[in-house]
Structures are given as structure tokens and as C-alpha cells.
Amino acid sequence: MSSIGTGYDLSASTFSPDGRVFQVEYAMKAVENSSTAIGIRCKDGVVFGVEKLVLSKLYEQGSNKRIFNVDRHVGMAVAGLLADARSLSEVAREEASNFRSNYGHNIPLKHLSERVAMYVHAYTLYSAVRPFGCSFILGSYDQDDGPQLYMVDPSGISYGYWGCAIGKAKQAAKTEIEKLQMKDMTCRELVKEVAKIIYIVHDEVKDKSFELELSWVGEVTNGKHELVPKDVREEAEKYAKVCTTTTSHSFVFSMAFL
Amino acid sequence: MAAYMSAGRSANAFSTHDFVPEWAQEEVSTGTTIMAVEFDGGVVIGADSRTTTGAYIANRVTDKLTPIHDHIFCCRSGSAADTQAVADAVTYQLGFHSIELDEPPLVQTAANLFQQMCYRYREELMAGIIVAGWDKRRGGQVYTVPMGGMIVRQPVSVGGSGSSYIYGFMDSNYKPGMTKEECLHFCTQALALAMERDGSSGGVARLAAITEEGLERRVVLGHQLPKFSNT
């Protein structure tokens, strides 16, 4: 599916004859090379799950986190170039902080995602800079708006979601997410399903070991975004492992017909 | 005339030149009594209508209840110029913010914008403001931002030079859970008492009730104000 730009793809300030900005599309490819991150919104909160590939046994456990805290009530899960994502998390943090400083209350997630998306978009306009090579999912919970979920991609558009996935297995993850009735689930139930989906879409052949990063924000955490506690995470991983070992042969079976 | 006004409280500015008498050099002040009360479903706000320059009443029918947004008002006391300028600035900021958010603004946001301006420029300003209104999240709210720039939410608040005379009345007569009409009656009485005793407050009593449905303004003319003495 890769197309060659031949000359129209050298800078973000150039359109191709068929109306595409190749640099932005290439940035989206960078996201597709990264491992999967998903975010799902349920009745009383939002849960994030990230398949963090571990490239070396020498890495300290828990390093290079891909889930960030943007504000007390806002979390961000990323896919793509991690350094780009870190810089954007700082931008998001400043936006949220300035908003509270100016207006005296928590930033509404829709507004935050629009502000950060505007920032990402600015980097798609000039030849002097390159677009950000990452997509990210923002999630929040507060008393008035309830759970909210937004995704921003390198082109600078933000989308509101009930469930979304970014990264290499996003199609497979989306299929799994669509099977869920998330509007009727609570965070505790959803955590297990999120873990299960990450385990399902993880490719044992191509990528070896991975760490599952799980975080949530909702009624269960009193509106505070935090990594899921150890006991909940272990229970979720156990459930996920059980589900994937029992269904693995049916997955292979369906592959044969493609 | 303003050339010799020192920065800050101009009421203390003394000129060594007597081309114009001192009272003509006094800054225009909304002497004032202002107040606001929360009730279930909205707020009632009230103010007198006297603006003075020294002992001269520059405007005896002033409207000190200024709209900041559809469901948010502020009651102004202190320097007329300062409060008008701050209210205009906040109206602009809040309007912009509301369009960005694509939602009616919160009363708390309006109050915080007033507070930030009043605190940042506290040495230059003389402005005591009560911000009151209705929003969908928390219903009727009253926030007081006195001189100096602090902010606190109160179920009932009074301000201005005439407020000193009605703290007792307010404390003894305010009851939580009043209806809109009871709040309007309470405000009318309080304003009448203050206007009777404070030289810088007088004229007519202007009232407004702000609810989800919108705004209802009333004026109680001088002769219709309640009388508390028999003389």
C-alpha cells in the first residue's frame, strides 16, 4: 500500500498533484510501525491499554512508559515516536495548567484535545519542521461531563470516541472493541476486556515479549487518572492469558481462509 | 483636572491649585449598595442607583447591574470608571471563551476572570464586584470579589459603602431555601435600609432575577420603597 511521492513528498509545505500531503501520511506510517495502544470509554470511566514491546532483557521494568498523566483527571496513551509523544504530553500539560490558571476549573477534554490538535496541525504547515510522528488518545472523567475519550492523529484532527485503537494492530483491535457493549460496562469489567484485547492482538511470532500498561480514570478512582493497581492488573492479565490460550487455535483457523 | 491625581485612591488626592474646588476633583465613584442572593434555580441581584463625584450626584438613575453574559451579571461598586473598564474586559474574555468551548460559560469562570484582573491590578484599581448568575452545572451562584482581589462563593453577599449598615439585617433575615419572590422582597428591604442610612446610596432600587429561563428586571421607585420609620 506504499506509494512513492517522487518529489512532492520532501516537505510538509507541498501538496501532491492529487491533493495529498505526503509528509503527513508518512508520519501516520510511523504510528503504524509502533505497537498498539487502545482506549475504551465505559459507563463510569475510561480505560487505556498499551502493548509496550520490550526490545531488550536489560531494560528496567516500567521504563519508557507510554501512558502519561496530563492533569489530575486526564490521561494520555500514545503510539508512534515516543520522543514526539513526550513533547506533546508537555504541551497538553501546559494547556491544561494554563486553562485552570485562567478560568479556575478543570479543562474540558474536548477543548484540550482541540488545543493540542491545533498544535499538532501547526507542524504540518511548514517545510522547516516535520510533523509529529505520533497519535495519542486522551481520556478523562469528571462529575459534570462524565467519561470522555478523544484521539488525535499526526494530521491534527481530533475525534471523539467510545473506543479507539492506534498502532500496528489497530484494525484487529478495533474489531475486538466493536464486539464490546462498553456503554453498559463498568471500569472494573472493562479493565479485564482491555487486557484481553491487547493479548489477542499481540503478535507472538514477530514481537517477543511485551509489558502490558494499563491505566484508568473514573468513578472507581474518584476522577483521578492513575495506573491500574497491581492486584487489578494481575487479575486482568490472568483473565487475558486464559482467554487467549483457549481461543488461539480458533484464531489460526480463521486465518487460513483469508 | 486629572493631571494631579495620584495613582491609587483619588479620594485622598489633594491639589495645591484651587482653579476648581476639591469636590469637583473627586473621582466619580459608585458609592453604592449592592447585593446578591442565591436561590434554588437562580440568583437575585440588586443595587441602588446613585453615582457621586464628591457630594454631587452625577447620575441618580445609574444601572449598576451589568450583564457579562446571557445568564451572568456583575454588581459594581467603587470607582465607576474602573468597574466599567474591568467589566468590559471580562465580558470580552468570557464571550471569546464561551465561543471556543461552544458552551455557555460557568459563573465560576466569570468570577475567576474578575478576580484575576482585580488582584493583578489591585494597586491601581478601586473595584468591589459581586458576580452572580446561573449555569447548568451548579445552578444559581454568587461570588464576591472585593477590593484587593480575593474571591469567595457565598449564598448571600452585600457590598459597597452602604453594605455596612445592612450586615445585621442580612444575617438576621436571610434564610436558606427562599423562593425567588422571597429573595426579591429580601433584597428590596435590604437596599431600602441601606439607601436610607448611606449618603452615597440612593435613588431607585434596581433588581434582577436570573434563572435558566432568562432575565427578569425590576425597578422599585423611591416612593415605592419600604419605609421603616414612622417619621
Side-chain angles (χ1 to χ4, degrees):
Chain A
M1 233 198 87
S2 63
S3 42
I4 305 167
T6 20
Y8 300 109
D9 61 345
L10 297 173
S11 79
S13 66
T14 311
F15 276 105
S16 72
D18 51 345
R20 297 153 74 174
V21 181
F22 280 105
Q23 279 295 308
V24 174
E25 293 187 22
Y26 296 161
M28 297 204 218
K29 290 267 174 54
V31 178
E32 277 166 38
N33 288 339
S34 142
S35 61
T36 321
I38 64 174
I40 308 184
R41 175 180 159 196
C42 64
K43 194 167 62 174
D44 63 351
V46 171
V47 180
F48 288 131
V50 178
E51 172 204 10
K52 193 172 68 177
L53 297 179
V54 177
L55 296 168
S56 161
K57 287 199 195 94
L58 296 172
Y59 284 161
E60 193 185 348
Q61 206 207 28
S63 62
N64 286 346
K65 284 207 184 338
R66 287 180 46 192
I67 299 183
F68 301 94
N69 243 325
V70 166
D71 198 348
R72 188 183 178 273
H73 65 302
V74 179
M76 174 170 156
V78 307
L81 300 177
L82 192 51
D84 288 10
R86 281 208 190 110
S87 140
L88 284 173
S89 78
E90 271 306 303
V91 169
R93 282 169 184 157
E94 268 183 57
E95 282 291 335
S97 166
N98 283 337
F99 186 95
R100 179 179 282 112
S101 177
N102 286 332
Y103 302 112
H105 65 90
N106 287 346
I107 187 166
L109 195 67
K110 179 162 183 277
H111 187 64
L112 175 63
S113 73
E114 279 168 9
R115 294 286 296 186
V116 188
M118 209 190 323
Y119 189 90
V120 170
H121 169 250
Y123 281 74
T124 67
L125 297 170
Y126 310 105
S127 58
V129 295
R130 65 163 175 80
F132 284 95
C134 64
S135 292
F136 52 94
I137 313 176
L138 292 164
S140 82
Y141 178 82
D142 70 39
Q143 290 281 23
D144 304 300
D145 296 324
Q148 300 280 315
L149 188 66
Y150 283 85
M151 194 262 276
V152 179
D153 72 9
S155 65
I157 316 181
S158 76
Y159 313 79
Y161 282 100
W162 274 97
C164 68
I166 49 180
K168 59 171 67 152
K170 72 173 189 220
Q171 275 306 110
K174 276 203 182 100
T175 326
E176 291 300 318
I177 293 174
E178 276 164 18
K179 293 181 192 162
L180 295 174
Q181 295 288 346
M182 66 274 290
K183 294 183 195 181
D184 305 318
M185 294 171 80
T186 64
C187 272
R188 283 196 190 277
E189 295 160 7
L190 191 57
V191 160
K192 298 200 288 215
E193 296 301 324
V194 165
K196 181 176 124 189
I197 293 173
I198 295 287
Y199 269 81
I200 290 175
V201 305
H202 172 67
D203 190 339
E204 277 295 333
V205 176
K206 286 211 201 109
D207 310 310
K208 306 281 163 47
S209 61
F210 77 103
E211 254 178 58
L212 171 64
E213 252 184 271
L214 280 176
S215 78
W216 58 3
V217 58
E219 282 257 20
V220 66
T221 63
N222 244 324
K224 180 166 182 280
H225 174 258
E226 51 191 29
L227 292 179
V228 149
K230 194 153 164 276
D231 55 332
V232 179
R233 191 159 68 84
E234 281 169 4
E235 193 196 333
E237 281 197 90
K238 202 165 70 162
Y239 172 81
K241 285 188 179 130
V242 163
C243 287
T244 43
T245 46
T246 48
T247 58
S248 58
H249 32 267
S250 62
F251 190 60
V252 170
F253 184 67
S254 63
M255 285 286 282
F257 285 95
L258 283 169
Chain B
M1 181 173 90
Y4 292 102
M5 249 165 58
S6 54
R9 309 288 150 82
S10 55
N12 301 325
F14 291 102
S15 172
T16 51
H17 300 254
D18 274 323
F19 304 120
V20 177
E22 244 170 63
W23 55 262
Q25 288 163 0
E26 295 267 357
E27 196 181 294
V28 174
S29 129
T30 53
T32 304
T33 312
I34 50 173
M35 64 186 296
V37 190
E38 286 177 13
F39 65 91
D40 182 22
V43 292
V44 165
I45 55 177
D48 74 302
S49 70
R50 182 171 291 182
T51 315
T52 51
T53 38
Y56 176 65
I57 299 176
N59 186 353
R60 62 185 171 97
V61 285
T62 325
D63 184 7
K64 302 178 190 177
L65 306 175
T66 311
I68 303 296
H69 206 266
D70 296 346
H71 290 87
I72 306 178
F73 265 65
C74 76
C75 311
R76 301 180 293 113
S77 75
S79 153
D82 288 353
T83 54
Q84 283 178 5
V86 172
D88 285 347
V90 173
T91 304
Y92 165 76
Q93 289 175 342
L94 200 65
F96 191 85
H97 172 71
S98 168
I99 289 188
E100 261 190 326
L101 249 51
D102 199 21
E103 246 179 49
L106 299 178
V107 185
Q108 187 189 23
T109 308
N112 268 292
L113 288 171
F114 269 108
Q115 185 264 342
Q116 278 179 27
M117 201 163 290
C118 291
Y119 179 70
R120 183 180 291 241
Y121 299 109
R122 56 183 290 161
E123 302 305 323
E124 288 99 79
L125 291 174
M126 191 161 78
I129 293 175
I130 301 180
V131 184
W134 179 91
D135 65 42
K136 203 165 69 161
R137 285 195 194 188
R138 288 186 209 137
Q141 296 148 74
V142 170
Y143 294 87
T144 182
V145 182
M147 277 187 238
M150 85 136 179
I151 180 172
V152 70
R153 181 181 171 184
Q154 297 179 309
V156 58
S157 186
V158 296
S161 57
S163 67
S164 329
Y165 305 103
I166 52 172
Y167 276 104
F169 176 81
M170 175 187 91
D171 289 336
S172 56
N173 284 64
Y174 171 73
K175 283 162 188 43
M178 293 199 283
T179 65
K180 184 176 87 166
E181 284 303 324
E182 285 172 333
C183 287
L184 283 160
H185 181 67
F186 168 71
C187 284
T188 315
Q189 290 198 303
L191 288 169
L193 284 166
M195 285 154 71
E196 184 70 26
R197 284 292 179 179
D198 179 28
S200 309
S201 302
V204 305
R206 293 200 189 275
L207 299 152
I210 309 167
T211 58
E212 182 175 5
E213 283 81 59
L215 180 65
E216 189 203 318
R217 295 198 75 143
R218 287 190 201 175
V219 182
V220 182
L221 299 177
H223 64 278
Q224 296 165 335
L225 284 169
K227 292 183 183 50
F228 292 92
S229 70
N230 294 321
T231 51

